[in-house]
Structures are given as C-alpha cells and as structure tokens.
Amino acid sequence: MKTVLATLNAKYIHSSLALRYLKAFCNDICDFKVKEFSINNSLFDILSEIYAEKPDVVGLACYIWNIDMTLELANLLKKVLPDTVIILGGPEVSYDPEDIMEQHKYIDYIVQGEGEETLYKLLTQLKAKAEVSAIPNLAQRINNKIALNGDAGIVKNLNSIPFPYNDEEISTLKDKIIYYESSRGCPFSCQYCLSSATQGVRFLEVDRVIKDLSFFIRHDVRQVKFVDRTFNARKDHYLPILQFISQQNCRTNFHFEIAADILDEEVLEILKTIPNGRVQFEIGIQSTNSATLAQIRRSNNWPKIVDNVTNIIATGNIHVHLDLIVGLPEEDYKTFGKSFNDVYNLKPHMLQIGFLKLLKGSGIRKCAKEHSYIFMDSAPYQVLGNKYLSFSEVRKLHLMEEIFNQVYNSGRFSHTLDYFIGYHNGDAFGFYNSLTDFWEQRELHIVAHSPKSLYQYLREFCQLLYEDTESLCDEFLKFDALITEKGSLRPDVLGWNENCWNDETTAFWRNEKLVHKYISDYKFTTWRDIKKKHHIEVFTFDVPCYIKNKNILKKSTPVLFSFNGEEVDFKTIEAGDFWIGGQ
C-alpha cells in the first residue's frame, strides 16, 4: 500500500516536522513518500507531483496558512485518483471535523489531534481491509453518515516516537529551517493558543534529546528551531539541554520559546556561559495590561520579566525576540501603546507585533461574542476589531507593524531611533504612531522600499517633525549606516564628508606607527584595500560620546570604522592624530 504524506509549507525555507514524525512512527506499515510543497507552488504542479506517485493513500497536513489550498488539492486528487483514500490531519481540521467532512465529500478520514498513533492504527486496518470504526480520535464516514470517535487525541509517551531525521535526508534540508521538539503541551492556559485545548506537558527523555541534538551538530545544521510551547517548563528537563548546548563547539543555532519570569539565578549564570550566537530566545509577553492578562488567563510576573530579560540582553551573547499581540480582550489603542512602550523599553533585538487569530478550538474563539469580536471567517481568522479596538485602529497598527519591521527590527537605525524617541519624552509608541501618519500621508505604504530609500524617508520625517535637527539627524543616520551596512551603503542624501579631509586621511593611513594605536595589525597595502576594510568619517558632534553617556558634545570628531569582523568596530581618532596643524 503506497502512501504519500504531503503538506504545503508557508515558505520554501520551512520544513514539516509533523510529516516526518508520522512517517517515522508508521514506517513499518507500508511504502511511504513525504512530499513537501509551499503555498507559492501552483496547484496543478502539486497535483501532478502527487499523481505521479499513484498512491493508494494520501495524507495532507492542514494549517491556517494552507487550509483553503489543501482542500482544493484534496478535491482535485479525488477527481484524478477516485480510488485513493484521502486523509486530513492537523490543527485546522481537528476541532470541527464533522463540518469539514460535511462540506467536502471527497474527504474520507480526519485524524484529530496528535496523529501518530491514530494514523498507525488507520493505515494498519486499511492495509488489512479491516474495520476502522473503533479507532479513537478519528472522523470517518459510516453508511454515508459522519461518525466521530472521540476528539483531538494526544500521544502520552513521546519517547515512543522515533527521531524523524536521518543521515540521508538531512543533506537535502541544508537550506531550510530544521524543526524539533523536546516536549508537547504547555503548563499555561492562554486562551488564544491551541495549547489551552489540552492539559499538561509531556517530555522526551533528556538523554534522547541530547542524542538528537548531537545529530544536528554533527551534520552542521544552520538552525534548529524548537517548537516546544514553553521550552523551560521544567527545570530538570531544560537545564541539562542548555548545559549540553553551551559546551559544544559548533555553529548550529538553537531557537527556543521560553517564559522569562520562571528563569532563576542559576539558569541566568549558565546562560552567560553560552557562546555568542549559539542560542536565541523568543519570549511571548503579549500584553502588560492586567485586565487583559486576566481575560486570557495568562500570568506575567512583569518585574521578574524585566529583570531577567534585561540581564540576558546585557550579557550580549543571546538574541532576544519579544512578542506582543494586537486585539486581545480589554486592550484598547491607548493600553496597547503602554504595553508596546513597556516591552520596547527592554530594547529587544526584535519586537514582533502580532495580530490575534481566533483559532478553531481556542478558548478566546468560544467567547468571541462577549467581546464583540469581528474577524475573518476563513483562515487565518485574524481579528478585525472588537469592543475595545476599531477596525480603523487595527488597520493603523498593521501599517505601524510594517514600518516598525523596516526601521526597528531591521536593526538599521538603532542610534537614530534612540535619539529621536527622546523628543517624544521616551514615548516610543508615540514616535512610531507619528511615523505611521507620515508614511500613510505620503502613500509610502503602497510601494516597495530599498534600504537607501529608508534612510531618506526617516531623515525627512525627523526634519519635518523636529525643528533644527537636520545636522543631528544626518550624523546619526550616517553612523547607523556605517555600523549596520558595513560601509556598503552610503546614501547620497546624507552628505558624506570623507573627500573634505583627503589630506588628513592620506597622512593618517600612511603613518603605520600611528595607525597601530587604533588597528594593531595594520599594514599599508593599497588605497583600494583600505577603502574596502575601513572608513573615516568626521562628524559634526561626538557621536561615540553620545552613545556612551547620552551627552551631545558639539565638536568635529573623526571616527575610524573597521569592517573586518562580524561586527563593525569603531574608534574615535584623537585630534592630535588626525588634524594637520591642530583643530
């Protein structure tokens, strides 16, 4: 019995952990083929690929990003392969299987919840041409009527599921994100999340996890993204894993979703020992509004979150990604702005503004009327408004999110943003709100932007909103460009002054003994080589001094930038070492 397991990933770089788990668990039953596509592939091409396998059974994994396309694919498969059994699974069909099967007659079975054990039993019975009605967590058709046996199931013993990757396959995934899980379930009951639909957390044995991670390290995998809902749910589970990762000599990066307020001092000390770039944390704050947190049954120890996140970021070795959600109950535009400022002030490397989705099976969807939610009827069921937030405000926050990703999450303008948000008395939300108005008035939200144009727009905005700041704005933007673009991008609008100081820069670079004060291994080679590796810019005020102590010191300041390492190095050149005849 030939079986094809397929899904449509959201992007090419994604891979499906679920299909690999199903194949590994059921591999001894029949001949399996895993076929991964993306939602950007044409439906005809996907259909053709699966048809060419001439499968007896096709299993399709359904999510909010692919459900409509997957249902159409299933319909077409039944047309061209009428005798093939069509099985659906995944979160998008697990919580209303009766409705799905009633509306789509070409679906034979729906596996509800975690599918390994249910699919194993189903395929075993289908292969033997035996009765399947007693299989739990399965929706099926019996005498032309839809029959349900239980609801969304779970696998109680995760260790019964084999490791889903092998030596032969891993090389084909080198350009994709590798997903992995060491636990299922969540200790929390956040009502917007599907984890609230199941109780408890189940864990893989730590020795098994370490063995699995050793496989990824041995194969020099670029990134392993843990899909555990809360990786640090239990200390005796996650701490040995972090200790193992910290001791490895590898380039593999490990991504975890964690709850910051349950980290203790012992863990924080261990985190300091982790090599730079080895680990990144995604931390869901979602809101800092107490009424909102109560409604979604989420408990945030905000002072502890502040202390722990600040500590981790200050150490400088771990990338920190914080999340907020727009559209939660009891949070209007003003209180969302406060949540935004609270989280922004922690200075995360990335702050993601997400929008509430009323997922099937989630607690918040069940009480949508209570909060007057309006939301998309079809996937991804995104919120359009509620009694606290109008669609006009939701729309504006969507525009803000797009702009915020380009100017803050891009990492391009950190010093410029830091300075000009000061003009809003530290109100970052007020700054981005004004920037959004500027963006929309100029209709910049309907066109694509090059990195160079972003510098121009931010310059125009700051000069328009803040009087007498033209010089400061240019200097901050030049500094940010040199730091983040490594000298490869120098927007003309910023008025670079390197050519104004040709005599000084030439004399400086020719004096190897002098340059050794700033670059220990410097040796004069060619002007082309120097320009490739270094740049000297003379600023109208002491930017490095401002970065260090927030003081604006008006004086011409030559700064040497070096682009050799992963991060740009900069040093202020002493006046006597640069100015000819004094300054």
Side-chain angles (χ1 to χ4, degrees):
M1 186 173 72
K2 189 168 188 178
T3 299
V4 169
L5 299 176
T7 195
L8 283 60
N9 295 319
K11 296 179 180 179
Y12 168 78
I13 62 168
H14 295 171
S15 61
S16 175
L17 176 61
L19 295 189
R20 289 173 171 80
Y21 268 141
L22 293 170
K23 181 178 183 295
F25 195 86
C26 303
N27 210 30
D28 62 341
I29 303 173
C30 49
D31 178 20
F32 272 101
K33 180 67 71 74
V34 169
K35 306 284 284 186
E36 290 188 82
F37 308 95
S38 91
I39 56 175
N40 297 312
N41 293 123
S42 80
L43 204 53
F44 182 83
D45 288 344
I46 298 170
L47 175 67
S48 297
E49 283 286 310
I50 297 176
Y51 175 84
E53 298 293 335
K54 296 295 192 295
D56 300 297
V57 177
V58 173
L60 301 172
C62 304
Y63 304 91
I64 55 173
W65 60 81
N66 72 15
I67 181 61
D68 293 335
M69 196 171 175
T70 300
L71 288 171
E72 181 59 24
L73 172 63
N75 180 32
L76 297 177
L77 283 168
K78 206 66 167 180
K79 288 178 183 292
V80 299
L81 295 168
D83 296 326
T84 295
V85 175
I86 304 294
I87 306 170
L88 301 188
E92 195 51 32
V93 295
S94 288
Y95 299 96
D96 60 347
E98 192 168 11
D99 291 343
I100 294 285
M101 293 186 75
E102 183 65 38
Q103 296 170 30
H104 305 280
K105 306 297 184 183
Y106 45 84
I107 299 168
D108 297 302
Y109 302 96
I110 290 180
V111 172
Q112 297 175 256
E114 298 173 15
E116 289 89 353
E117 293 177 345
T118 303
L119 184 63
Y120 186 95
K121 293 172 184 175
L122 176 59
L123 293 177
T124 300
Q125 295 300 90
L126 290 176
K127 184 179 181 180
K129 295 181 171 36
E131 182 63 45
V132 300
S133 59
I135 297 175
N137 314 121
L138 184 70
Q140 57 189 289
R141 301 181 192 277
I142 299 178
N143 298 324
N144 294 320
K145 292 184 178 180
I146 299 167
L148 305 180
N149 187 8
D151 49 22
I154 64 169
V155 177
K156 293 182 179 179
N157 179 14
L158 291 191
N159 293 290
S160 67
I161 305 174
F163 181 60
Y165 300 98
N166 58 56
D167 292 329
E168 180 181 355
E169 183 197 32
I170 199 69
S171 61
T172 67
L173 298 172
K174 64 179 181 179
D175 297 324
K176 298 189 177 186
I177 298 171
I178 304 295
Y179 294 94
Y180 179 79
E181 66 181 353
S182 69
S183 66
R184 288 183 185 175
C186 184
F188 308 111
S189 300
C190 304
Q191 294 301 288
Y192 54 84
C193 179
L194 284 183
S195 289
S196 64
T198 59
Q199 296 295 318
V201 188
R202 291 147 289 138
F203 300 88
L204 286 176
E205 293 176 354
V206 172
D207 289 346
R208 153 80 184 268
V209 176
I210 289 175
K211 180 182 178 183
D212 293 348
L213 299 188
S214 298
F215 171 88
F216 296 130
I217 292 171
R218 187 171 72 251
H219 285 278
D220 197 28
V221 167
R222 179 170 57 89
Q223 184 182 60
V224 176
K225 192 166 186 177
F226 276 61
V227 297
D228 301 44
R229 288 295 187 183
T230 304
F231 170 69
N232 62 325
R234 200 177 76 189
K235 188 175 178 180
D236 64 347
H237 173 78
Y238 79 86
L239 189 55
I241 297 171
L242 286 178
Q243 289 173 318
F244 168 78
I245 288 171
S246 71
Q247 296 163 2
Q248 302 309 299
N249 179 21
C250 66
R251 69 163 188 165
T252 305
N253 169 266
F254 298 89
H255 177 105
F256 304 101
E257 292 185 36
I258 68 165
D261 47 357
I262 59 176
L263 299 173
D264 61 25
E265 289 300 321
E266 179 187 11
V267 176
L268 291 174
E269 288 301 311
I270 289 172
L271 292 181
K272 292 177 182 178
T273 69
I274 292 179
N276 188 30
R278 180 67 50 76
V279 163
Q280 60 190 57
F281 286 151
E282 182 173 349
I283 301 169
I285 308 298
Q286 320 312 8
S287 174
T288 63
N289 183 31
S290 57
T292 298
L293 295 171
Q295 281 287 338
I296 62 175
R297 301 183 192 175
R298 184 179 179 90
S299 177
N300 280 354
N301 184 337
W302 181 242
K304 191 71 172 176
I305 290 173
V306 171
D307 287 346
N308 287 347
V309 170
T310 301
N311 187 307
I312 294 168
I313 292 175
T315 301
N317 60 332
I318 295 174
H319 178 94
V320 175
H321 174 154
L322 303 182
D323 295 337
L324 285 171
I325 296 179
V326 172
L328 293 172
E330 303 288 346
E331 187 150 76
D332 59 17
Y333 200 81
K334 182 178 179 180
T335 53
F336 177 78
K338 182 182 182 303
S339 290
F340 179 93
N341 282 340
D342 289 340
V343 175
Y344 187 91
N345 288 336
L346 296 178
K347 296 293 187 290
H349 301 101
M350 181 173 287
L351 197 173
Q352 178 174 309
I353 303 172
F355 291 81
L356 180 66
K357 298 174 178 63
L358 276 74
L359 302 174
K360 294 178 181 179
S362 66
I364 205 163
R365 182 163 176 145
K366 296 172 185 176
C367 61
K369 289 184 179 179
E370 176 187 342
H371 303 286
S372 302
Y373 272 107
I374 55 173
F375 60 99
M376 296 176 179
D377 294 328
S378 56
Y381 317 110
Q382 190 162 295
V383 67
L384 302 174
N386 55 28
K387 66 166 68 173
Y388 320 99
L389 207 59
S390 68
F391 176 69
S392 176
E393 291 168 325
V394 171
R395 175 185 176 275
K396 185 168 184 179
L397 289 170
H398 268 285
L399 295 177
M400 186 184 295
E401 180 228 3
E402 178 185 336
I403 297 161
F404 186 78
N405 286 338
Q406 294 181 75
V407 300
Y408 181 88
N409 285 337
S410 68
R412 282 194 162 95
F413 307 104
S414 58
H415 301 99
T416 306
L417 295 172
D418 179 66
Y419 180 78
F420 283 99
I421 286 172
Y423 275 84
H424 276 274
N425 297 316
D427 179 9
F429 187 74
F431 173 88
Y432 290 107
N433 191 66
S434 297
L435 182 59
T436 302
D437 290 336
F438 167 85
W439 219 262
E440 187 173 13
Q441 288 163 7
R442 300 207 175 191
E443 297 187 334
L444 300 176
H445 61 295
I446 59 176
V447 295
H449 307 296
S450 67
K452 183 180 289 188
S453 68
L454 293 175
Y455 285 89
Q456 178 181 339
Y457 300 145
L458 197 55
R459 179 179 187 265
E460 292 174 1
F461 168 73
C462 291
Q463 291 177 3
L464 179 68
L465 206 64
Y466 314 110
E467 296 181 0
D468 303 321
T469 62
E470 180 175 351
S471 175
L472 285 173
C473 184
D474 285 358
E475 301 304 89
F476 276 117
L477 286 171
K478 281 194 288 186
F479 191 89
D480 279 332
L482 289 166
I483 291 293
T484 59
E485 314 293 348
K486 295 190 172 184
S488 64
L489 178 64
R490 299 179 196 174
D492 296 337
V493 70
L494 297 181
W496 303 87
N497 63 27
E498 182 181 23
N499 292 334
C500 299
W501 309 100
N502 273 331
D503 291 344
E504 285 79 1
T505 55
T506 298
F508 178 82
W509 289 120
R510 287 196 177 280
N511 189 338
E512 288 190 5
K513 183 178 179 181
L514 175 63
V515 179
H516 283 162
K517 288 175 59 176
Y518 304 92
I519 307 170
S520 60
D521 59 350
Y522 173 76
K523 183 180 176 74
F524 182 84
T525 52
T526 65
W527 292 115
R528 181 178 180 180
D529 187 53
I530 289 172
K531 286 191 173 185
K532 180 181 177 182
K533 296 178 180 178
H534 310 285
H535 176 79
I536 295 174
E537 186 69 21
V538 179
F539 294 90
T540 58
F541 76 98
D542 194 337
V543 181
C545 178
Y546 172 81
I547 292 170
K548 185 176 181 180
N549 57 34
K550 305 303 180 187
N551 288 333
I552 294 291
L553 186 59
K554 285 278 189 179
K555 70 169 186 175
S556 296
T557 306
V559 181
L560 168 61
F561 295 84
S562 295
F563 310 122
N564 295 325
E566 289 187 14
E567 295 185 0
V568 175
D569 182 47
F570 66 90
K571 294 183 176 73
T572 300
I573 302 175
E574 296 176 16
D577 292 339
F578 186 76
W579 307 112
I580 297 175
Q583 173 74 9

